[in-house]
Amino acid sequence: MYNAFWDHLKEQLLSTPPDFTCALELLKEVKENRLRNEIEEALDMDLLKQEAEHGALDVPHLSNYILNLMTLLCAPVRDETVQKLESMTDPVQLLKGILNVLGLMKMDMVNYTIQSLRPYLQEHSVQYEQAKFQELLDKQSSLLDCTTKWLTKAATDLTTPSPSSLGSLSSSSLGCSPPNWAANSSELPSPTMVLYHGYLNLLLWDPDDDEFPETLLMDRIRLQEMESQLHQLTILASVLLVARSFSGNVLFSSPEFVDKLKCITKALIEEFNSRPQETMVSVSEQVSWEIHQGLKDMGLTALSSENTASLIGQLQNIAKKENCVRNIIDQRIRLFLKCCLVRGMQESLRDFPGGLSLIKGELAELGWNFFNLMHHNQQVFSPYYAEILKNVIPQAQAQETEVESV
């Protein structure tokens, strides 16, 4: 990494026109080193100790010197906080405030350093992981067997879509025969789309299936967590959608009410996987009560006993896997994640799927996490994926010779 930084600096200075970005950063560091020497001279602890022993320590002058330095060195976002310190007269509170702001400044510097090094770290990480995986592959030629099965299954899904492709993956389903390209030659999927479909299939993986793609073994726990988050968001969005259909847009136009209902529902559905029916009974009772109270507080007409019973019944039906609302929400969330891979995060967030606006913040967070993880995996293993997909989709070589990066 050290050599890579200086090589990068050399490339910048030799480019036409020269790029002085890194050079200016180095000059800034030189300036800060000079400033560090000045600080050490001004805050000579031995001298300050002697002044304190003789009662000659000028605390206000020392405080002003420190605050002026902090103003010079801190990020603009901290200027207002430092200015407030200048008006403090209590030495204890002043010292407490100074140490607190210095801690924030330290974190600012750490974040800035990480941000500056991020491109070099990412490049180094990709190269390092590729080299280590190649070492393992040289020793074990069958290391990509499960990865090949995984991509073959993804290619088959795209050419022969069926309801079963939305179900859990298993080792038996992965051990499928190669797709019949002759029957589908007019609609060949690109290698990139096959890879993206394979990534989405990871969020449907049977936890008992050990034939997980070797190229993603290090990320399996994180993917399981994302699958769990996706499931929780599906239930949450289903509850909110049903609740809004009964209570109307006026109540759900209140951010306070929506946030409260989301908070309550999230807490109640934590045990959904182990106790779906019991969980949804609790959810239906609490949500119906919150809607009743919300309508009352806003002076709106309360739900009739018939509508209340229907609301409770529809909420409890969400516990069933075949529930239509739940299945539609699940499909839209997965479609959003696919769009994140295909179109990028920014465009996907601008064109948000209908029915999911109430969980936009939570879904955006899941989308970013999934996108970043899969993007890094694609950068590292795209050469291996391209080679596998050449055999899985032989005719596609004329269309796309390698797996494109996001």
Side-chain angles (χ1 to χ4, degrees):
M1 287 175 57
Y2 182 82
N3 292 331
F5 174 80
W6 292 108
D7 290 342
H8 182 69
L9 174 61
K10 183 177 180 180
E11 291 176 4
Q12 283 192 339
L13 295 178
L14 292 177
S15 62
T16 305
D19 184 351
F20 297 105
T21 305
C22 287
L24 290 173
E25 290 296 326
L26 290 175
L27 290 174
K28 181 180 178 182
E29 185 173 338
V30 170
K31 176 184 176 182
E32 289 175 351
N33 284 332
R34 179 181 62 81
L35 190 59
R36 186 179 299 114
N37 292 331
E38 292 180 6
I39 295 173
E40 290 176 354
E41 292 177 4
L43 301 179
D44 187 328
M45 296 309 300
D46 292 334
L47 177 60
L48 294 176
K49 185 177 179 180
Q50 292 178 15
E51 291 178 351
E53 291 174 349
H54 292 85
L57 184 61
D58 190 345
V59 176
H61 173 76
L62 195 58
S63 300
N64 288 333
Y65 175 77
I66 295 173
L67 291 174
N68 288 335
L69 276 177
M70 291 171 66
T71 303
L72 180 64
L73 297 175
C74 72
V77 71
R78 307 294 176 201
D79 286 345
E80 185 178 350
T81 307
V82 176
Q83 289 175 2
K84 291 181 180 179
L85 294 177
E86 294 175 354
S87 61
M88 288 186 177
T89 55
D90 185 335
V92 175
Q93 291 299 320
L94 177 59
L95 184 57
K96 180 181 178 181
I98 287 175
L99 291 176
N100 179 54
V101 176
L102 286 175
L104 295 175
M105 289 171 61
K106 184 177 181 180
M107 289 306 302
D108 292 339
M109 182 57 68
V110 170
N111 291 330
Y112 172 77
T113 303
I114 292 174
Q115 184 178 2
S116 300
L117 291 175
R118 190 183 299 276
Y120 310 110
L121 292 173
Q122 288 179 336
E123 181 180 358
H124 181 76
S125 175
V126 169
Q127 295 173 352
Y128 177 81
E129 290 185 49
Q130 285 178 341
K132 286 299 180 182
F133 187 81
Q134 186 60 49
E135 290 179 10
L136 294 174
L137 189 60
D138 292 339
K139 297 176 182 178
Q140 186 179 348
S141 58
S142 62
L143 191 59
L144 287 170
D145 286 359
C146 292
T147 302
T148 302
K149 291 180 181 179
W150 162 63
L151 290 175
T152 302
K153 174 65 170 61
T156 304
D157 288 346
L158 290 178
T159 53
T160 55
S162 64
S164 61
S165 66
L166 296 176
S168 298
L169 296 175
S170 64
S171 56
S172 59
S173 66
L174 277 175
C176 60
S177 57
N180 183 6
W181 299 115
N184 303 280
S185 58
S186 61
E187 297 182 5
L188 285 176
S190 70
T192 301
M193 294 307 297
V194 172
L195 177 62
Y196 289 166
H197 188 76
Y199 283 152
L200 291 168
N201 280 346
L202 297 172
L203 299 178
L204 291 164
W205 202 274
D206 182 353
D208 297 325
D209 182 7
D210 293 329
E211 292 194 350
F212 203 76
E214 299 89 348
T215 54
L216 287 140
L217 280 175
M218 296 293 290
D219 301 318
R220 185 169 189 178
I221 294 178
R222 293 178 66 185
L223 285 164
Q224 288 175 340
E225 293 173 350
M226 291 181 191
E227 182 180 0
S228 177
Q229 292 170 13
L230 188 155
H231 189 59
Q232 294 281 317
L233 288 179
T234 299
I235 304 303
L236 174 62
S238 300
V239 169
L240 296 174
L241 198 61
V242 170
R244 185 172 64 179
S245 68
F246 279 87
S247 59
N249 292 327
V250 176
L251 186 58
F252 269 74
S253 64
S254 168
E256 295 79 10
F257 176 80
V258 173
D259 290 342
K260 182 181 180 182
L261 198 61
K262 286 169 67 174
C263 184
I264 292 172
T265 305
K266 286 178 183 179
L268 291 174
I269 65 176
E270 286 183 356
E271 298 182 0
F272 181 91
N273 290 339
S274 58
R275 302 168 58 248
Q277 283 78 22
E278 296 89 337
T279 296
M280 292 313 300
V281 168
S282 300
V283 169
S284 64
E285 293 174 353
Q286 188 65 37
V287 169
S288 63
W289 188 89
E290 291 294 338
I291 289 177
H292 172 77
Q293 193 63 36
L295 292 172
K296 180 180 178 181
D297 293 343
M298 296 182 71
L300 300 173
T301 304
L303 294 181
S304 65
S305 57
E306 182 181 347
N307 283 340
T308 300
S310 181
L311 168 63
I312 292 174
Q314 290 196 31
L315 289 173
Q316 292 181 4
N317 281 337
I318 294 174
K320 300 176 182 178
K321 291 183 178 180
E322 64 272 16
N323 179 263
C324 61
V325 175
R326 177 176 164 183
N327 286 329
I328 291 173
I329 293 295
D330 179 81
Q331 291 173 14
R332 288 186 179 180
I333 290 177
R334 295 181 189 278
L335 179 61
F336 170 75
L337 294 177
K338 181 178 181 180
C339 288
C340 293
L341 296 176
V342 176
R343 300 164 60 189
M345 284 302 306
Q346 298 298 338
E347 187 173 350
S348 299
L349 291 173
R350 285 195 296 268
D351 189 17
F352 216 71
L356 302 180
S357 58
L358 293 173
I359 59 165
K360 185 172 183 178
E362 293 86 350
L363 188 53
E365 180 181 358
L366 175 61
W368 274 114
N369 291 338
F370 184 68
F371 172 84
N372 289 332
L373 187 62
M374 296 301 94
H375 177 46
H376 180 76
N377 178 269
Q378 186 176 357
Q379 284 184 307
V380 175
F381 296 104
S382 57
Y384 303 100
Y385 295 149
E387 194 63 32
I388 292 172
L389 290 170
K390 282 181 182 178
N391 298 320
V392 175
I393 323 174
Q395 295 93 330
Q397 294 181 48
Q399 301 177 12
E400 186 173 4
T401 58
E402 62 180 14
V403 178
E404 298 174 353
S405 297
V406 177

